[in-house]
Amino acid sequence: MVTPRTGGSGETLNHAARKIQRVYLTLTLGNTVAASFIWGINTLFLLDAGLSNLEAFAANAFFTAGMVLFEIPTGVVADGWGRRMSFLLGTVTLAASTYLYYLLWQISGAFWMWAVVSVLLGLGFTFFSGAVEAWLVDALRFSGYEGGLESVLGRGQMVQGVAMLLGSVAGGVIAQATNLGVPFLLRVAVLLAMFAVAFGLMHDVGFSPERSTHPLRATRAVLTASIENGLKNPPVRYVMLAAPFSAGVGIYVFYALQPYLLDLFGDPEAYSVAGLAAAIVAGSQILGGWLAPHARRLFHKRTSVLILGGLGGCVILLVLGITHSFWMALVLLALWGVVGSAVTPVRQAYVNDMIPSKQRATVLSFDSLMGSSGGVVIQPLLGRGADLYGYPASLAMAGVIELLSVPFLLASRKQGAAADRSSTAETNPNNESADNT
């Protein structure tokens, strides 16, 4: 297995690596289009079903609670049964639970029903988290690719942005032309199509799943090894401990911006404006994905990018919380999206260069779990803040919460991991570093 070099954006891919990248980008495109049909109107959909702000964000919190509950079991599925199997199970589960969401909207279901189905939605997404990224990294290394991961992950971020742009705008426009339920049905249809695509194109390469006749024993073994390479690995641990604050805030802000921008716009039924908000975030993802490898080359350490991103996000949210201009809010939203999107591939590359292949999907799932756990607490907390003090105040509160991630990123930086150095040609599983500069 070839260990990738951690360089900038100028590396070329061989034929096998290009094929792997094409499959990865295809899966990213289809999955994100499917998911983003509802991203621009999800909060409006829940409010239209009769839920209060507190209940709507509590439903979202149950979604993230589902991700917390199932991240590790589905990560073990990816490591023990294959990343392809995990992806296929994810498309089926997410399609079924999305259709149940649509049915609840039709019957104005009780809150407990929304809570249960939201947990199932979380289950669907956990089959994807960790699995696709682990599949990509192992397949690239098996193909002999020696470039930095930021380049490929940045392209994935750009494709994700394009897909989100298409899906969110289409979802908002279609909802306004028809009703809020139609985008949910479109998501179901695209997910079923992605099942067929992944079945034909996605094959585990560079990784051999170790299926066991004793599932509980295998789960315990993989989880133990994942903890050893995750929470017990100091530079990885501190990045994971920062995740609840940054990811929890990100989830809340994205969904809170829908009703917040409609309030600023002055028309509570302008669903296309809510779709525009998601589209701006999508456009920011495209730019952020392009910037990621360049940002990597500007700084000696990856953690410099992460720390500046956390500080920048905090400042932007504080300003967003005091603005009364719809157009200024759109500009700030775009800046917030660019900062977060430029940081994400750098963070992914940093973590991936510090974990071994065998437990990659489970460790990445555990990392996602940490972020989701923040959403479980932060979403209803800030949702209640929006009920009491309004959306601007809740966004300012979100900025303060995001600032809490920075000390953990500083602690990770102090560990001197080899994966942190932009000039490092190779990293090793023990994260030993020849120097600390």
Side-chain angles (χ1 to χ4, degrees):
M1 182 178 68
V2 179
T3 305
R5 299 184 187 279
T6 57
S9 59
E11 301 91 346
T12 58
L13 282 74
N14 58 37
H15 176 73
R18 281 197 299 271
K19 183 177 180 181
I20 293 298
Q21 180 182 245
R22 282 197 299 269
V23 175
Y24 166 67
L25 296 180
T26 299
L27 297 177
T28 300
L29 177 68
N31 248 24
T32 307
V33 166
S36 62
F37 275 130
I38 73 165
W39 284 350
I41 51 113
N42 183 67
T43 305
L44 305 176
F45 175 83
L46 295 173
L47 296 175
D48 187 67
L51 301 182
S52 66
N53 276 320
L54 174 60
E55 289 173 330
F57 285 106
N60 286 338
F62 273 99
F63 162 73
T64 49
M67 297 187 72
V68 170
L69 288 173
F70 297 112
E71 279 289 5
I72 296 302
T74 55
V76 172
V77 168
D79 281 335
W81 289 84
R83 285 74 190 263
R84 177 176 181 263
M85 175 64 72
S86 185
F87 187 93
L88 294 175
L89 288 172
T91 56
V92 172
T93 305
L94 190 55
S97 53
T98 298
Y99 185 68
L100 289 176
Y101 236 46
Y102 170 78
L103 293 181
L104 288 181
W105 173 73
Q106 283 196 316
I107 66 173
S108 297
F111 174 73
W112 70 266
M113 297 180 180
W114 290 98
V116 171
V117 178
S118 294
V119 171
L120 294 177
L121 280 170
L123 169 62
F125 275 101
T126 59
F127 279 112
F128 299 131
S129 62
V132 179
E133 188 177 325
W135 175 84
L136 169 70
V137 174
D138 288 335
L140 283 176
R141 290 178 171 173
F142 181 79
S143 71
Y145 175 63
E146 297 183 345
L149 293 175
E150 283 93 345
S151 299
V152 179
L153 292 170
R155 292 184 191 109
Q157 188 90 348
M158 294 172 69
V159 169
Q160 191 175 39
V162 171
M164 184 178 172
L165 180 64
L166 295 173
S168 57
V169 170
V173 172
I174 291 170
Q176 188 162 348
T178 55
N179 59 63
L180 287 165
V182 173
F184 285 77
L185 296 179
L186 289 174
R187 176 197 260 194
V188 173
V190 176
L191 283 169
L192 294 178
M194 288 309 300
F195 177 92
V197 171
F199 189 86
L201 297 180
M202 187 181 187
H203 303 284
D204 289 320
V205 290
F207 168 79
S208 299
E210 296 181 356
R211 302 185 182 185
S212 173
T213 56
H214 302 284
L216 292 178
R217 187 183 305 168
T219 299
R220 186 162 49 249
V222 172
L223 180 57
T224 299
S226 299
I227 292 175
E228 288 291 333
N229 292 285
L231 285 179
K232 290 188 177 181
N233 187 344
V236 178
R237 176 174 67 242
Y238 289 121
V239 174
M240 287 184 174
L241 290 175
F245 303 103
S246 56
V249 164
I251 295 170
Y252 173 78
V253 171
F254 180 78
Y255 288 114
L257 284 171
Q258 300 165 21
Y260 170 63
L261 288 176
L262 286 182
D263 286 345
L264 290 179
F265 188 71
D267 183 356
E269 295 185 357
Y271 301 143
S272 58
V273 171
L276 175 63
I280 289 175
V281 174
S284 302
Q285 279 194 313
I286 299 171
L287 179 57
W290 177 79
L291 286 173
H294 299 285
R296 167 73 187 286
R297 291 190 298 177
L298 286 176
F299 296 95
H300 185 62
K301 293 187 175 183
R302 283 166 164 160
T303 48
S304 298
V305 179
L306 306 188
I307 293 165
L308 289 175
L311 293 173
C314 168
V315 172
I316 292 168
L317 290 177
L318 288 173
V319 177
L320 190 61
I322 62 175
T323 186
H324 299 289
S325 167
F326 173 77
W327 298 108
M328 178 60 71
L330 291 182
V331 172
L332 292 170
L333 171 59
L335 288 174
W336 179 74
V338 169
V339 170
S341 299
V343 167
T344 298
V346 178
R347 184 187 186 280
Q348 289 174 302
Y350 180 44
V351 173
N352 269 287
D353 277 350
M354 295 189 290
I355 55 180
S357 173
K358 287 296 183 182
Q359 293 83 38
R360 188 182 306 281
T362 310
V363 173
L364 293 176
S365 290
F366 196 88
D367 180 38
S368 180
L369 180 153
M370 295 294 289
S372 298
S373 65
V376 171
V377 177
I378 290 172
Q379 285 188 92
L381 174 67
L382 294 179
R384 182 57 176 165
D387 278 334
L388 294 175
Y389 309 111
Y391 283 109
S394 72
L395 292 173
M397 292 166 59
V400 174
I401 293 173
E402 181 162 358
L403 186 62
L404 298 177
S405 67
V406 174
F408 294 104
L409 297 174
L410 287 168
S412 180
R413 179 188 181 88
K414 289 180 180 179
Q415 304 306 308
D420 195 17
R421 300 197 311 275
S422 63
S423 59
T424 302
E426 293 185 354
T427 59
N428 62 67
N430 295 322
N431 307 305
E432 296 171 352
S433 175
D435 60 71
N436 204 21
T437 60

